[in-house]
Amino acid sequence: MNQIPFGSLEEFLAMGGYAAYVWPVYIIALAVLVANLVIPFRTERRILRDIARRLRREQRGMQ
Amino acid sequence: MWVWFHKLGSPRHFYRISGRLLPWLTALAVGLLAVGLAWGLVFSPPDYQQGETVRIMYIHVPAAVMSMVVYAVMAAAGFVYLVWRIKLADLVAAASAPVGAWFTVLALVTGSLWGKPMWGTWWAWDARLTAELILLFLYLGYMALYNAIEDRRSAGRAAAVLALVGVVNLPIIHYSVEWWYTLHQGPTTRGMRIAGTVHPDMRYPLLTMMLAFGVYYAAVLLKRTRCLVLETERDSAWVRELVKTT
């Protein structure tokens, strides 16, 4: 890795005058990546819950 | 080898193996992404021509590469499904489409955010930009077709044919910058290698991000395929057994 090319936090946030372009890229990318990872994890839990609920219903129906 | 192949093709076996792999893959993807983000955003130098906007490339290039890799995987899985009727291949193809579409959106949006300050325009009907937009429509068409057909098997087959026809677009995207010299600059990657024109200070953070995106896709693909396996196998004995024990 190299030396940090920014002298201060302000310089880092300013992105050499391109803050309006660089930061949206990273924010959008992070949002898309996080959402695409979290959603299937939740979906699988929901599906397993649904199947379990249906199984319980069926078992009650048989008794 | 064939036994192994057959076992992997069984949804039940896939579910077990992927369950074991996923925690590692997810952790690796998150770790690589963290390193790549820090490297690209903080520790890498600005470009002497592009200034700090070169940092956009650490997202743009991996997203664009993955938009094509995912499409290739989707089409290959579709081909396997068409020829050998392996159900799992159909699920892999179906699970790939949304991720691929999102990578394509990312490539287009980040390219636009780079194009405005560097080219002076958000969008141009440049050969590569247009071909990448067509890739997005191919993904959307694939998903629309899949959802429009009621019967799962015919849906999978029709969508696979569409995916295979669309493969024509991949070399067009890749070679567009050489065939039509319009606006987009020359290739960053050549096969598996990054062009020697990229300085090492930028090559390694870029490689890290590409690896991170690749592992990330593998993790998301496995998880999405697991969801589809559960949905299509919900009435089978092994899924019932699985639900009971958890």
Side-chain angles (χ1 to χ4, degrees):
Chain A
M1 294 214 186
N2 320 77
Q3 289 242 298
I4 299 176
F6 303 102
S8 65
L9 184 66
E10 285 75 34
E11 238 179 82
F12 175 59
L13 292 175
M15 277 291 155
Y18 293 117
Y21 305 103
V22 175
W23 289 115
V25 164
Y26 277 84
I27 291 164
I28 293 167
L30 217 56
V32 167
L33 291 177
V34 169
N36 270 290
L37 191 62
V38 170
I39 289 169
F41 271 79
R42 286 195 177 174
T43 307
E44 193 184 9
R45 272 207 301 273
R46 182 179 51 76
I47 294 171
L48 285 171
R49 256 204 324 272
D50 285 353
I51 298 175
R53 198 177 306 139
R54 215 164 40 105
L55 266 180
R56 278 200 300 276
R57 239 197 336 263
E58 272 176 30
Q59 272 161 359
R60 269 204 304 277
M62 277 192 284
Q63 281 161 4
Chain B
M1 170 71 193
W2 277 107
V3 176
W4 176 82
F5 195 69
H6 256 275
K7 263 181 130 183
L8 201 70
S10 105
R12 181 185 186 175
H13 192 71
F14 167 83
Y15 194 86
R16 215 185 41 231
I17 296 281
S18 64
R20 246 183 269 160
L21 277 174
L22 258 166
W24 300 99
L25 272 180
T26 312
L28 187 62
V30 171
L32 281 170
L33 269 176
V35 171
L37 279 174
W39 206 344
L41 203 50
V42 185
F43 295 99
S44 65
D47 184 69
Y48 77 101
Q49 275 183 326
Q50 304 173 29
E52 307 292 352
T53 59
V54 73
R55 299 184 197 287
I56 291 172
M57 290 301 128
Y58 301 121
I59 304 286
H60 176 74
V61 174
V65 168
M66 287 313 291
S67 73
M68 293 166 68
V69 169
V70 174
Y71 194 92
V73 170
M74 189 176 91
F79 181 77
V80 168
Y81 180 58
L82 281 178
V83 175
W84 290 287
R85 298 285 145 94
I86 296 172
K87 259 196 295 181
L88 188 64
D90 175 43
L91 302 183
V92 165
S96 286
V99 202
W102 274 112
F103 279 137
T104 313
V105 168
L106 261 189
L108 288 168
V109 169
T110 56
S112 193
L113 279 160
W114 183 88
K116 184 61 185 169
M118 291 296 110
W119 291 340
T121 179
W122 298 106
W123 180 261
W125 293 103
D126 157 87
R128 181 169 265 187
L129 276 63
T130 310
E132 184 75 10
L133 186 64
I134 290 171
L135 185 69
L136 178 62
F137 292 149
L138 280 170
Y139 276 122
L140 297 179
Y142 178 94
M143 289 188 278
L145 185 62
Y146 213 109
N147 290 319
I149 302 175
E150 200 73 26
D151 175 50
R152 184 153 194 121
R153 269 179 306 177
S154 350
R157 278 205 292 273
V161 171
L162 173 72
L164 282 170
V165 172
V167 165
V168 165
N169 195 34
L170 294 185
I172 296 182
I173 298 175
H174 188 70
Y175 293 109
S176 56
V177 285
E178 291 168 14
W179 292 344
W180 305 278
Y181 192 75
T182 42
L183 192 55
H184 199 288
Q185 57 269 60
T188 312
T189 61
R190 220 179 263 279
M192 294 302 287
R193 294 205 325 276
I194 293 192
T197 50
V198 180
H199 191 275
D201 282 353
M202 297 166 186
R203 194 186 303 154
Y204 295 114
L206 186 57
L207 268 174
T208 308
M209 279 306 259
M210 299 214 317
L211 194 61
F213 271 52
V215 177
Y216 169 90
Y217 164 58
V220 173
L221 176 66
L222 285 189
K223 199 67 181 176
R224 293 192 68 98
T225 308
R226 280 164 71 84
C227 293
L228 292 175
V229 163
L230 283 179
E231 272 173 348
T232 50
E233 302 272 315
R234 58 188 314 156
D235 295 319
S236 67
W238 72 268
V239 171
R240 283 160 178 263
E241 206 51 47
L242 180 94
V243 169
K244 259 186 234 161
T245 51
T246 47

